[in-house]
Amino acid sequence: MLFRKVRYYIFLRDVLILAVTAFGGPQAHIAMFLDLLVKKRGYLSEEDLIELNALCNILPGPTSTQTITAVGFKIGGPNLAYLTLLIWMTPAVTIMTIAAITISNLQEQNISIEFTRYIQPMAVGFVAFAGFKIARKVIHSKLGFGLMCTSALISLFFGSPYVFPIVLVAGGLITSLNYKSHAIEAKDKINIQWANFILWGSVFILAAVLGGLTKALPVRLFENFYRNGSLIFGGGQVLIPFLYTEFVEFKQYLTSEEFLSGYALMQSLPGPVFSFCAYVGSLSMREYGVGGEIIGAISAALGIFLPGAFLIFFVIRFWDSLKKFRRVKASLEGINAVSSGMVIAAAIIMFMPLEPSYINFGITLGTFLVLTFTKIPSPLIIVAGLLGGILIS
């Protein structure tokens, strides 16, 4: 028992090390997980980690967060998994909350945030690159290309955030009809334990009911982010169009300038991209003072991270059997294609509020090209843009 507790302590320390050093998004995170958790520590095999990551890639929620949480679950069960989630998300969530409070205070004192002028079009370049990278990875057929284009057009012309989940489900259903193109595998009987699914659904319904009855902004924020965390396939890049549409265009809790500045900052931080939600939640409650901003950040962070944890705990127990069904495999093509279209549309939507100048267009295009053709780390790109804005301000 003592050996096990020491092992858990070392694992959680390793999670903290990853939380403050893992730059570059889910693809870079998995490489660091392999290096530290598999090769150096031997908590699980490389095959186990790759399979867990593959499972998390097809579930809604933050991919790298779900993967490291699932590793904690595999090593020590739910209690260790929840501690893993808390330690992994806390550093980035804390930094994004402080950033939101800082921006709010600057604006209260009538201090311009014009120094962020260059990192705003840079943020659009990051989103465009994410859309390009996802599309290149997941589009393999004319049907997939058509779904991507249709999704992009719908996202551009229908501003409601409630359209997105409908389009995602529709894309999955369309490609699931093509299940016969997938090889038949011998199927095992699926033994489903429903506890975590019931927990996920209960929180979903309870948050919606309480938000409607109380009208309390922290509860409504939790419900908004919990809903998004339950429906987002494809990680943080796909989350951005949902957040921008709902909180900038639809509810107008943030300006486009604030949103883009925060997203650019997130690109320069280690840890999960979903921690950007703490920034959005904090600024959404700025009228309630610093205490309200902190509550908004916590509500948003819990709302966005909990659904993925509940769902991975639910699915991991019967994944080996479920993944053999052809309709499940076939539906993923449509979901991924639709997601890539949403990200491409998000880049266009987020560029529109910027001043239509050659400088903004050049910075957006330049950022895209640098990310595409070089290996310059994202933090260095953002720091360069921030320094440029400070020098010219």
Side-chain angles (χ1 to χ4, degrees):
M1 180 65 71
L2 178 61
F3 173 76
R4 185 178 299 172
K5 288 182 178 179
V6 171
R7 181 177 170 84
Y8 292 169
Y9 167 79
I10 295 172
F11 172 73
L12 293 174
R13 186 189 64 186
D14 290 338
V15 172
L16 179 60
I17 291 171
L18 289 167
V20 297
T21 60
F23 292 89
Q27 291 76 23
H29 293 171
I30 190 64
M32 295 188 71
F33 294 172
L34 278 168
D35 182 57
L36 181 58
L37 304 181
V38 174
K39 295 178 181 177
K40 291 184 179 177
R41 297 295 190 196
Y43 294 119
L44 69 172
S45 70
E46 184 173 336
E47 292 75 18
D48 285 339
L49 181 62
I50 291 172
E51 185 169 300
L52 284 177
N53 187 64
L55 168 59
C56 295
N57 268 299
I58 66 165
L59 288 177
T63 304
S64 53
T65 299
Q66 287 173 305
T67 300
I68 199 166
T69 304
V71 173
F73 185 90
K74 196 174 183 68
I75 294 171
N79 291 336
L80 185 64
Y82 282 119
L83 285 173
T84 300
L85 172 62
L86 182 64
I87 291 172
W88 167 250
M89 63 183 268
T90 295
V93 165
T94 301
I95 294 171
M96 293 309 298
T97 304
I98 293 171
I101 293 171
T102 301
I103 284 181
S104 179
N105 287 337
L106 288 174
Q107 292 177 329
E108 283 180 6
Q109 298 172 29
N110 294 319
I111 298 174
S112 172
I113 58 170
E114 183 67 13
F115 62 87
T116 66
R117 68 174 81 178
Y118 294 147
I119 65 171
Q120 292 167 39
M122 279 183 171
V124 179
F126 275 101
V127 176
F129 175 70
F132 169 74
K133 188 166 63 172
I134 293 172
R136 190 170 59 177
K137 182 178 179 181
V138 304
I139 303 300
H140 305 295
S141 66
K142 292 180 180 179
L143 176 59
F145 182 78
L147 287 172
M148 179 187 71
C149 294
T150 303
S151 167
L153 290 173
I154 292 173
S155 300
L156 282 171
F157 293 106
F158 293 89
S160 172
Y162 303 105
V163 170
F164 292 147
I166 296 173
V167 177
L168 279 169
V169 172
L173 288 174
I174 289 171
T175 56
S176 71
L177 300 175
N178 194 33
Y179 69 94
K180 291 183 179 179
S181 63
H182 293 264
I184 298 175
E185 295 186 50
K187 301 180 184 68
D188 303 319
K189 183 179 179 181
I190 298 180
N191 181 24
I192 300 177
Q193 299 178 38
W194 291 98
N196 279 290
F197 183 81
I198 293 171
L199 179 60
W200 165 78
S202 299
V203 174
F204 195 109
I205 296 169
L206 181 63
V209 171
L210 287 178
L213 291 175
T214 66
K215 306 296 182 183
L217 185 52
V219 179
R220 288 189 285 120
L221 282 173
F222 176 84
E223 186 277 327
N224 292 159
F225 284 101
Y226 193 91
R227 170 169 35 85
N228 282 322
S230 299
L231 298 172
I232 298 298
F233 292 84
Q237 296 90 344
V238 180
L239 175 69
I240 298 309
F242 282 70
L243 296 184
Y244 190 87
T245 299
E246 182 159 359
F247 291 96
V248 177
E249 295 190 326
F250 195 65
K251 295 178 177 173
Q252 298 181 347
Y253 289 162
L254 284 79
T255 66
S256 175
E257 181 183 42
E258 291 166 344
F259 187 95
L260 291 174
S261 298
Y263 181 68
L265 173 63
M266 184 63 248
Q267 298 300 313
S268 67
L269 297 179
V273 176
F274 273 52
S275 59
F276 175 60
C277 295
Y279 174 89
V280 176
S282 182
L283 284 179
S284 297
M285 287 192 61
R286 72 184 91 187
E287 63 185 86
Y288 299 96
V290 174
E293 290 175 300
I294 294 172
I295 292 172
I298 293 172
S299 297
L302 290 176
I304 202 68
F305 283 109
L306 280 179
F310 293 153
L311 290 172
I312 187 62
F313 294 167
F314 167 61
V315 175
I316 197 173
R317 292 180 168 94
F318 62 90
W319 169 241
D320 286 340
S321 300
L322 182 65
K323 67 184 178 181
K324 296 178 181 178
F325 284 80
R326 292 187 291 169
R327 287 191 184 274
V328 173
K329 288 183 178 179
S331 68
L332 299 179
E333 180 186 356
I335 291 171
N336 289 331
V338 166
S339 296
S340 63
M342 289 177 177
V343 178
I344 292 169
I348 299 171
I349 293 169
M350 291 164 70
F351 186 82
M352 287 178 178
L354 298 177
E355 181 184 348
S357 65
Y358 288 114
I359 291 177
N360 283 337
F361 180 77
I363 291 173
T364 299
L365 180 61
T367 302
F368 177 85
L369 293 174
V370 167
L371 291 169
T372 303
F373 295 108
T374 76
K375 294 184 178 181
I376 298 175
S378 299
L380 292 182
I381 299 172
I382 297 302
V383 168
L386 193 58
L387 289 175
I390 292 172
L391 291 173
I392 302 225
S393 293

